[in-house]
């Protein structure tokens, strides 16, 4: 396969390429802002004077609907309050960012670790092992993991932390995609001149994997990881929406969105704030991942959008 690489005078450093992409920069800046919000969640909710666990029944009516404009928005409750409980919605949203980032990053790290190990060894070893891994990946792609998670949540021990269970399940079902990508890249690298030369000179499997394959797979792994994180965050939100995610009262965007659906007619702000947060962070990771992919791809580096 012939790869069209821009001439040296047109090629730019990946960081310059990334910095020139305004959408990628905007996505990266949004990610940084949300990370700071997640890290400073106790401080931010403390500035407002509320935490995400304390009930305030004086802020809701006898029917459970928030009192006041926009679901109880006021100087005391910046995003309003949660129906029925009166818990502060701003505190719930900023602390929910912690849950989403924890699950998203941890599940992605687990999926990437397994996927890279499986894909790299399958592409390098080939033979019956490669065929077995390929068939197993096909099975996992068609496996109804959501049904499995719901059933597992019902039988899991009560003392097992739900966040850990979600991370393990999402991560263990999230590695086939990157394994397939890494396997394909590894098969292509086996035909490259520098790998053939190193093999002919007597380089062992350990040397080849560490010094020939992994360095040339790094950009692919980084880009795929960046674009996997929003999927993991969305998966956690979907599970929380279905009631099998992080249990209450732990703040979680997905569960808040699920609770808000029943109040959308009387309190739309209860859906707007967590829904907007989930939408923005998912969009930001996708924009940043697209820009990072273009910056690290020699076929597009230096080309103007």
């Amino acid at each position: 396969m012939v790869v069209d690489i821009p001439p040296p005078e047109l090629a730019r450093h990946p960081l310059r390429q990334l910095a020139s992409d305004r959408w990628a920069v905007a996505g990266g800046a949004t990610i940084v802002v949300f990370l700071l919000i997640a890290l400073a969640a106790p401080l931010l909710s403390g500035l407002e004077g509320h935490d995400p666990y304390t009930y305030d029944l004086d802020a809701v009516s006898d029917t459970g609907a928030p009192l006041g404009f926009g679901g109880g928005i006021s100087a005391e409750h910046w995003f309003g309050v949660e129906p029925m409980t009166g818990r502060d919605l701003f505190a719930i949203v900023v602390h929910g960012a912690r849950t989403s980032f924890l699950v998203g990053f941890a599940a992605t790290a687990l999926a990437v670790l397994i996927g890279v190990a499986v894909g790299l060894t399958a592409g390098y070893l080939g033979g019956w092992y490669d065929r077995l891994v390929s068939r197993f990946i096909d099975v996992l792609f068609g496996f109804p993991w959501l049904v499995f998670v719901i059933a597992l949540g019902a039988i899991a021990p009560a003392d097992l932390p739900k966040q850990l269970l979600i991370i393990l399940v999402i991560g263990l079902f999230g590695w086939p995609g990157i394994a397939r990508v890494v396997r394909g890249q590894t098969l292509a690298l086996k035909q490259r001149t520098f790998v053939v030369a190193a093999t002919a000179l007597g380089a062992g499997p350990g040397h080849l994997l560490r010094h020939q394959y992994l360095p040339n797979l790094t950009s692919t792994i980084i880009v795929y990881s960046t674009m996997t994180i929003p999927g993991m965050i969305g998966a956690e939100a979907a599970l929380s929406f279905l009631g099998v995610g992080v249990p209450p009262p732990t703040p979680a965007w997905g569960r808040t969105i699920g609770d808000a659906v029943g109040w959308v007619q009387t309190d739309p702000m209860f859906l707007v704030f967590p829904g907007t947060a989930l939408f923005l962070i998912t969009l930001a990771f996708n924009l940043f991942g697209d820009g990072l992919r273009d910056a690290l791809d020699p076929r597009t580096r230096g080309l103007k959008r």
Side-chain angles (χ1 to χ4, degrees):
M1 181 180 64
V2 178
V3 177
D4 296 324
I5 300 177
E9 63 273 12
L10 294 180
R12 289 187 286 179
H13 191 277
L15 289 179
R16 290 186 179 181
Q17 172 79 6
L18 186 63
S20 67
D21 188 340
R22 62 181 183 275
W23 290 110
V25 172
T30 303
I31 294 171
V32 171
V33 170
F34 271 93
L35 278 172
L36 293 176
I37 289 173
L39 292 173
L43 177 62
L44 292 174
S45 59
L47 289 175
E48 191 204 24
H50 297 280
D51 61 67
Y53 307 106
T54 303
Y55 285 21
D56 184 7
L57 298 181
D58 293 334
V60 296
S61 66
D62 294 337
T63 61
L67 299 173
F69 168 77
I73 296 176
S74 64
E76 185 179 358
H77 298 285
W78 297 347
F79 285 2
V81 298
E82 182 183 58
M84 301 301 295
T85 66
R87 294 192 302 165
D88 184 74
L89 187 56
F90 174 79
I92 291 175
V93 171
V94 296
H95 280 266
R98 286 190 155 194
T99 302
S100 294
F101 276 115
L102 173 62
V103 174
F105 282 111
T108 298
L110 178 60
V112 168
L113 181 63
I114 297 174
V116 170
V118 172
L120 184 60
T121 54
Y124 177 75
L125 296 176
W128 65 268
Y129 177 73
D130 182 30
R131 292 191 295 271
L132 179 63
V133 168
S134 298
R135 299 292 80 78
F136 185 63
I137 289 175
D138 292 338
V139 170
L140 285 181
F141 270 123
F143 191 82
W145 69 272
L146 187 58
V147 177
F148 175 79
V149 174
I150 294 174
L152 186 62
I155 63 175
D159 57 346
L160 179 65
K162 270 296 184 67
Q163 287 189 1
L164 177 60
L165 178 63
I166 292 173
I167 290 171
L168 290 175
V169 171
I170 297 178
L172 291 174
F173 279 99
W175 63 266
I178 190 170
R180 177 171 287 181
V181 172
V182 170
R183 172 187 173 274
Q185 293 289 319
T186 303
L187 290 174
L189 286 172
K190 287 178 70 173
Q191 310 302 320
R192 300 291 296 272
T193 304
F194 60 89
V195 175
V196 175
T199 304
L201 291 173
H207 176 86
L208 289 173
L209 293 176
R210 289 194 308 270
H211 300 286
Q212 305 296 335
Y213 287 98
L214 279 177
N216 289 281
L217 291 170
T218 300
S219 60
T220 298
I221 295 170
I222 292 174
V223 171
Y224 199 94
S225 300
T226 305
M227 302 187 73
T228 300
I229 292 172
M232 297 297 186
I233 293 176
E236 181 276 324
L239 293 175
S240 296
F241 180 87
L242 294 173
V244 294
V246 180
T250 304
W253 289 343
R255 192 183 63 255
T256 302
I257 293 172
D259 294 339
V261 170
W263 293 89
V264 70
Q265 298 295 329
T266 56
D267 183 12
M269 292 297 107
F270 188 31
L271 176 63
V272 168
F273 288 115
T276 300
L278 180 61
F279 169 77
L280 287 177
I281 194 58
T282 303
L283 178 63
F285 269 110
N286 280 293
L287 291 176
F288 184 73
D290 285 341
L292 190 62
R293 179 195 58 200
D294 293 340
L296 295 176
D297 190 344
R299 292 172 295 183
T300 59
R301 191 183 306 159
L303 300 180
K304 295 184 179 179
R305 287 177 173 268

